[in-house]
Amino acid sequence: MKIAFIGLGNMGGGMAANLVKAGHRVNAFDLSTDALARALENGCATFTSVRDAVDGVDAVVSMLPNGSIVDSVFENDVLGYAPTGAVLLDCSTIDVDTARKVTADAVAAGYDMVDAPVSGGIAAANGGTLTFMVGGTDTAFARAEPILSAMGKAVIHAGGSGAGQAAKICNNMLLGASMIATCETFAMAEKLGLDLQTFYDISSKASGQNWSMTSYCPVPGVGPTSPADNDYQGGFATALMLKDLKLAIEAAQSVNADVPMGARAAELYAQFDADGKGGMDFSAIIQSLKN
């Protein structure tokens, strides 16, 4: 297939490269000349205009920073410029209402479209092992699935339009809260005099086991290799976790859902970000909890 990929940041660059590896022809666009240069090295054709990138393609994939940018790009540069036979896939993490609006606009213009946010972080984006949570009609999902499968290990149809975004923010609210609980537990275990590797060996096989501990341990030298072993660089930035938590809290308020743990996690990450730590991996919050 000929696929336009819009947004080549930390996640999008690796995703576009994996589409090329799967045999697709990729038209890549980003505002960054460095990102375009990397895309060219990875086998993409590069463009300095979204409208030129989407001309004549079979699909359009976007990975953009926020809902307002997604809405603007699709309204001004994709709808009416990509062929109406193209399937549209937005893999950004944005609010549910905007995802539904953009899809409704696309459908009104004659396109099939899905919202397909991802889980897995930069390493999974580069390795092609992302998990996609997809919202859209059965027809749109069937068309999008082969494209998403080239970039991930799991592609799950969450429901109708906006359901992918709803699943993503619920998942990341759980992740944010469970990471804080994991961090504070290791901090307390250390102050109680426990050897942290020994505590890991116990808790990872007991009822306290969770993904934040066994797959992404916030303690250097404990568990599988994680950003903690690289001075908390790379991985999933605190600023991005805070963005997702804010989206989750807004969504919770819109449906009158009570989320005290999610709300507290958002407060703690907001403070960590305000302390200048927004570029560090979100597991680095263990530093503030230890202090």
Side-chain angles (χ1 to χ4, degrees), residues 15-35:
M15 293 165 68
N18 283 318
L19 288 175
V20 174
K21 291 175 184 177
H24 299 296
R25 293 170 292 158
V26 177
N27 290 357
F29 170 83
D30 196 276
L31 294 174
S32 165
T33 54
D34 289 343

Side-chain angles (χ1 to χ4, degrees), residues 124-277:
N126 292 335
T129 58
L130 292 167
T131 294
F132 290 90
M133 296 150 270
V134 189
T137 66
D138 290 343
T139 298
F141 175 77
R143 296 186 63 195
E145 185 176 20
I147 299 168
L148 298 173
S149 293
M151 301 182 286
K153 65 179 181 180
V155 181
I156 303 168
H157 192 187
S161 176
Q165 298 295 347
K168 171 64 185 289
I169 59 177
C170 287
N171 178 77
N172 276 25
M173 183 175 71
L174 177 58
L175 173 61
S178 65
M179 177 57 78
I180 289 174
T182 299
C183 288
E184 67 184 16
T185 299
F186 272 100
M188 183 173 75
E190 185 175 36
K191 290 182 178 183
L192 289 171
L194 289 171
D195 176 78
L196 295 187
Q197 179 63 56
T198 300
F199 174 68
Y200 174 88
D201 293 340
I202 293 169
S203 193
S204 65
K205 297 177 179 63
S207 56
Q209 186 276 332
N210 64 85
W211 186 91
S212 293
M213 175 187 293
T214 56
S215 296
Y216 212 89
C217 189
V219 179
V222 176
T225 300
S226 71
D229 299 302
N230 189 36
D231 198 25
Y232 301 99
Q233 300 303 309
F236 187 51
T238 291
L240 295 178
M241 172 54 78
L242 179 58
K243 169 198 166 185
D244 288 0
L245 287 169
K246 287 180 176 177
L247 290 173
I249 300 308
E250 291 171 3
Q253 291 170 345
S254 73
V255 294
N256 197 32
D258 191 18
V259 290
M261 298 296 288
R264 182 59 179 148
E267 291 173 357
L268 291 171
Y269 276 110
Q271 182 59 59
F272 196 58
D273 181 65
D275 290 340
K277 305 298 179 62

Side-chain angles (χ1 to χ4, degrees), residues 55-194:
D55 183 38
V57 299
D58 302 302
V60 177
V61 181
S62 59
M63 191 63 162
L64 298 165
N66 58 55
S68 62
I69 294 175
V70 171
D71 191 14
S72 175
V73 167
F74 277 88
E75 180 177 350
N76 297 319
D77 297 297
V78 176
L79 303 183
Y81 295 96
T84 53
V87 59
L88 312 180
L89 305 82
D90 179 41
C91 296
S92 319
T93 297
I94 63 175
D95 61 283
V96 175
D97 288 344
T98 299
R100 288 173 175 164
K101 176 193 178 298
V102 174
T103 297
D105 291 345
V107 170
Y111 297 87
D112 285 327
M113 183 170 185
V114 298
D115 53 281
V118 308
S119 178
I122 297 171
N126 292 335
T129 58
L130 292 167
T131 294
F132 290 90
M133 296 150 270
V134 189
T137 66
D138 290 343
T139 298
F141 175 77
R143 296 186 63 195
E145 185 176 20
I147 299 168
L148 298 173
S149 293
M151 301 182 286
K153 65 179 181 180
V155 181
I156 303 168
H157 192 187
S161 176
Q165 298 295 347
K168 171 64 185 289
I169 59 177
C170 287
N171 178 77
N172 276 25
M173 183 175 71
L174 177 58
L175 173 61
S178 65
M179 177 57 78
I180 289 174
T182 299
C183 288
E184 67 184 16
T185 299
F186 272 100
M188 183 173 75
E190 185 175 36
K191 290 182 178 183
L192 289 171
L194 289 171

